[in-house]
Amino acid sequence: MERSREDEVRDRLADIAGDDPSPAEQALLGRLIRSFLGKNPGGVDQLAQLLRGGDTGQVREHAHALKGSATNIGADSLARVFAEIEHAARDGHVPDPDVTLGRIATEQAMVYPVLERIATEGD
């Protein structure tokens, strides 16, 4: 059974700060999430340009970086999309930009509200 996006995020945050984070730890987690939410859209915009440009090396590197940042906060489903892009580029293939960006947008629409809600829990 697939875990919910909230479970993915909460499990990762528990790895970082434990099951019962202090107020300071909760504030730090909120800042980490907000940083991700602030930077990820721009990173995806850059990935879109790279996908359309067709340079497999740049696509691979950028998808790898996006995968890492999504993994760091537990957005595992989103990270899996970036991993697929990275692997395709490593194999010398740039995925279809429109299809790929649609998949990313769908995943963002599911995980961003979870992240936004969790980020405000320590406020």
Side-chain angles (χ1 to χ4, degrees), residues 5-15 118 121:
R5 279 142 188 90
E6 184 163 351
D7 288 342
E8 291 174 351
V9 172
R10 289 194 184 278
D11 287 349
R12 175 62 183 135
L13 297 180
D15 288 345
I118 292 172
E121 288 178 353

Side-chain angles (χ1 to χ4, degrees), residues 47 49-65 82 85-86 88-89 93-95:
L47 179 63
Q49 292 175 355
L50 295 172
L51 287 166
R52 289 189 172 95
D55 183 316
T56 57
Q58 288 183 336
V59 169
R60 183 189 72 244
E61 289 177 20
H62 198 68
H64 177 79
F82 294 132
I85 299 164
E86 177 187 8
H93 171 72
V94 174

Side-chain angles (χ1 to χ4, degrees), residues 102-114:
R103 290 183 62 217
I104 292 169
T106 297
E107 193 54 50
Q108 287 171 320
M110 290 193 279
V111 76
Y112 279 12
V114 170

